[in-house]
Amino acid sequence: MTTPLRTFGPLQPTHAGWTSAAIDIARPAVDLAVRGPDALPVTMSNHSHHENWFELLTRPLWGLAAAKDDVPADLWTALATTLARAVDPADAWYVGDPSEGGQRQVEAAAVGWGLALAPERLWEPLGSKAKDALAAWLSAAYLGPVADNNWHYFPVFAGHGLARVGVEHDAAVAAAHLDRIGELLLDKDGTFEDGPGGRVDYYNPFAFHTYALLHYKLGGDDRFAAAAAEFARRFGSWFAADGASVPYGRSLGYRFAHSSLWGALVAADVEAVPWAEAAGYARRNLAWWWDKPILDPEGRLTVGYGYPNDAVVEQYLTTGSPWWAMKAFTGLLAGAEHPFWTAEAKAPAAGLHKAPRAVHVRDHGGHVTRLNGQAWQPWSRGGQASYGKLAYSSVAAFSHLAEGPGLESAVPDGALMLSEDGRHWRGREDSDEGAIDANGVLTVNWQPWEDVTITTSLEAALDGWHARVHVIETGRTLHTGEGGWCVPLEGHIAEAEDGKAVATSQGLRSEIIDGDSGRIAEVITPMAGTHLYWPSTALPVLRGVLEPGKHVLKSLIYIGSEV
């Protein structure tokens, strides 16, 4: 594998530099897509192979349309020609009828966005037959069914595309979707629920709020712009000083899409925070990704997170999915003279911030720890690990569990795991959403078995430490395994004695200290390929056994620079 830095060269933090980056990231996707569905590798997916291919073709449009005048003509020609084939029912490359719903609806939004911004590149070069086919396909997508969550925006963007090229459509359809989006707004702080009972995660910034601002840019409807601005004022707490966003929730495989809200603010010219602050978050995040091994030898984005790894993504992520990250480039709609592009980036300060159903603490080292109140997400692959852990870290990320016995497969980083036999482990799944007191202490209640109740309290400091207290009432004997944070396995040094386990590696130190429960400290080697950042890891843990009754487990956990 290789990095964008090695493949494309240094990333320049300017409008011109980001334009080049957008084209560099997009071109390898387009070059593969124009060869048709049969050229696409077969990968894991819960939708059809043609839909997977359509992702690869259309998702680059989120960034390319924003930079349309700088995108080479041959790229636009390839996109327009291939898109025409993809929506022609008589063509072997036809992606399918969008009135049936599914993934086609998602990509219809990218098509609508592209047509709304660049009709002279995607529409006007087409012949009348191709135009009729594209209009019919997008009109069907406009009327098609969507999931009851952020997907309500997809017909809205299809409508923007239809309007731009003069195709009649019923405006009441988009209006109804926008009304439903408004019903998903949880509070005055601009937080949306991603469908009934849905989680609050990166779908707030890179879906709800990014779409709201781009919708405002295209149509002048600002009904959700204030909510986006309000959310953005707190969203900075999700980013570390080095640019990393704290990994949490589903769809992490979209990588630098995490920073798309900052670009959407620029595109809509909504100054939610000072432009120097927004620029800092966006520039540092893309720079953080620029030297990560996320490309294949042909320069295409891979499926995974910090390195290629299908095991850490959901069932719907496939070859073309990572180009959702192109939404990070929508800020290119603003000219090079915009203060977002000319301002000197402002660095974030240490502090504690209350986030939706969580507490974020940026320590003096610049790293972010997320104390997490939300429960697991049962329908997505890996939903227990990506949503149900007690803490998450920007510098140490987290691990997914693997099939197999032992803590090495359960990988309890940021978590307390429980077992009846010491081989098969269970973490937090269903729980309440947690309560946060005035001092930033988060308390959450969970019940892993009918006769086992746990109240966990979490508190973080600005020095890289956080504390966990678990009050456990159990009607059965339980084995316990609690983890600190993983560090890279290569070159690590492990120490474990007297209720304290430490692992240091590549400048990172991870430590977990038992309170007075008599647990055994050790450093384990989790199953390879379970971690988001590193292929192999070492993890300090505490093990114990609880007999029926009431128990209190206390621990202190550190992650940061090696000292």
Side-chain angles (χ1 to χ4, degrees):
M1 296 300 104
T2 188
T3 69
L5 177 63
R6 290 162 62 186
T7 303
F8 306 128
L11 174 67
Q12 301 300 324
T14 62
H15 188 278
W18 273 50
T19 298
S20 295
I23 296 169
D24 286 340
I25 293 292
R27 183 178 283 279
V30 177
D31 287 347
L32 179 59
V34 298
R35 293 161 52 192
D38 289 346
L40 185 74
V42 175
T43 56
M44 170 201 74
S45 174
N46 67 342
H47 38 268
S48 73
H49 187 72
H50 274 59
E51 288 172 298
N52 297 344
W53 166 74
F54 199 53
E55 285 186 346
L56 184 75
L57 173 66
T58 57
R59 292 193 171 191
L61 288 171
W62 287 106
L64 294 179
K68 65 176 183 178
D69 293 333
D70 295 302
V71 175
D74 69 299
L75 209 53
W76 281 123
T77 299
L79 283 163
T81 302
T82 310
L83 178 62
R85 296 192 63 179
V87 299
D88 181 358
D91 197 293
W93 292 5
Y94 181 53
V95 70
D97 184 356
S99 65
E100 299 174 0
Q103 198 63 26
R104 305 170 192 86
Q105 294 295 88
V106 181
E107 312 321 320
V111 175
W113 169 254
L115 289 176
L117 288 181
E120 70 277 22
R121 307 294 200 276
L122 291 175
W123 176 262
E124 292 174 11
L126 302 180
S128 59
K129 181 181 177 181
K131 286 180 178 178
D132 288 345
L134 180 52
W137 188 90
L138 197 59
S139 295
Y142 181 68
L143 298 174
V146 297
D148 187 21
N149 55 19
N150 72 89
W151 281 37
H152 283 286
Y153 267 114
F154 301 148
V156 173
F157 279 89
H160 282 303
L162 293 170
R164 185 68 176 84
V165 299
V167 176
E168 291 187 5
H169 57 288
D170 184 0
V173 173
H177 285 293
L178 290 165
D179 287 344
R180 176 56 181 150
I181 290 166
E183 294 170 355
L184 297 175
L185 186 62
L186 286 175
D187 56 39
K188 65 182 186 322
D189 294 328
T191 302
F192 283 87
E193 184 177 45
D194 195 17
R199 302 292 176 257
V200 177
D201 51 24
Y202 282 101
Y203 276 83
N204 260 263
F206 71 43
F208 284 102
H209 295 308
T210 291
Y211 297 145
L213 292 162
L214 300 183
H215 166 65
Y216 170 41
K217 172 66 177 178
L218 293 178
D221 177 7
D222 67 351
R223 74 180 77 184
F224 301 124
E230 188 60 39
F231 187 91
R233 294 185 187 105
R234 299 177 298 134
F235 183 47
S237 72
W238 299 50
F239 291 85
D242 65 357
S245 51
V246 59
Y248 169 76
R250 69 185 180 98
S251 300
L252 295 178
Y254 300 154
R255 294 186 175 110
F256 43 93
H258 288 177
S259 64
S260 65
L261 174 56
W262 308 117
L265 288 167
V266 184
D269 200 26
V270 174
E271 190 174 9
V273 299
W275 289 123
E277 183 178 334
Y281 291 126
R283 294 176 197 172
R284 286 188 298 269
N285 184 248
L286 187 57
W288 188 87
W289 282 109
W290 209 247
D291 68 349
K292 298 297 182 292
I294 58 175
L295 302 182
D296 70 12
E298 285 72 42
R300 293 192 291 265
L301 292 169
T302 56
V303 175
Y305 195 67
Y307 59 100
N309 186 354
D310 286 359
V312 298
V313 300
E314 292 75 20
Q315 65 270 27
Y316 52 82
L317 263 94
T318 185
T319 302
S321 303
W323 277 270
W324 207 248
M326 292 295 291
K327 289 193 289 185
F329 296 108
T330 59
L332 293 172
L333 270 175
E337 71 285 350
H338 192 283
F340 176 86
W341 297 111
T342 60
E344 182 176 349
K346 180 181 177 182
L352 181 150
H353 308 270
K354 294 181 181 180
R357 304 171 183 168
V359 175
H360 291 166
V361 177
R362 186 183 297 111
D363 62 35
H364 292 305
H367 311 305
V368 174
T369 296
R370 174 187 172 93
L371 307 179
N372 180 49
Q374 293 193 112
W376 73 327
Q377 177 65 274
W379 68 264
S380 62
R381 191 174 85 153
Q384 194 280 327
S386 55
Y387 285 95
K389 297 202 177 198
L390 300 170
Y392 295 83
S393 167
S394 67
V395 70
F398 68 90
S399 302
H400 282 266
L401 58 84
E403 193 69 31
L407 275 182
E408 290 78 7
S409 295
V411 201
D413 52 345
L416 173 68
M417 306 290 281
L418 304 163
S419 171
E420 294 180 281
D421 60 6
R423 288 171 53 83
H424 305 92
W425 295 85
R426 180 180 299 184
R428 181 170 70 115
E429 295 177 354
D430 294 314
S431 73
D432 63 17
E433 295 174 353
I436 304 169
D437 71 15
N439 297 317
V441 178
L442 187 151
T443 301
V444 61
N445 299 292
W446 47 300
Q447 190 170 3
W449 286 271
E450 287 187 2
D451 60 348
V452 179
T453 60
I454 304 175
T455 297
T456 296
S457 296
L458 307 166
E459 183 176 11
L462 299 182
D463 56 5
W465 289 89
H466 78 272
R468 305 179 199 152
V469 178
H470 312 282
V471 179
I472 303 173
E473 295 191 47
T474 177
R476 64 185 69 193
T477 299
L478 289 174
H479 298 258
T480 67
E482 184 166 16
W485 302 111
C486 287
V487 297
L489 182 66
E490 184 176 358
H492 85 286
I493 298 174
E495 307 170 51
E497 61 180 356
D498 300 329
K500 173 182 174 180
V502 181
T504 57
S505 179
Q506 301 180 25
L508 280 180
R509 177 183 179 89
S510 173
E511 185 170 340
I512 186 167
I513 302 173
D514 185 36
D516 54 3
S517 65
R519 287 180 288 178
I520 297 172
E522 62 179 295
V523 176
I524 65 173
T525 302
M527 181 74 73
T530 53
H531 197 267
L532 266 67
Y533 284 179
W534 308 298
S536 300
T537 57
L539 173 63
V541 300
L542 300 172
R543 292 181 187 263
V545 178
L546 304 178
E547 298 299 333
K550 183 175 182 179
H551 306 268
V552 178
L553 302 181
K554 300 178 181 180
S555 58
L556 292 172
I557 300 93
Y558 174 80
I559 188 67
S561 300
E562 185 176 344
V563 293

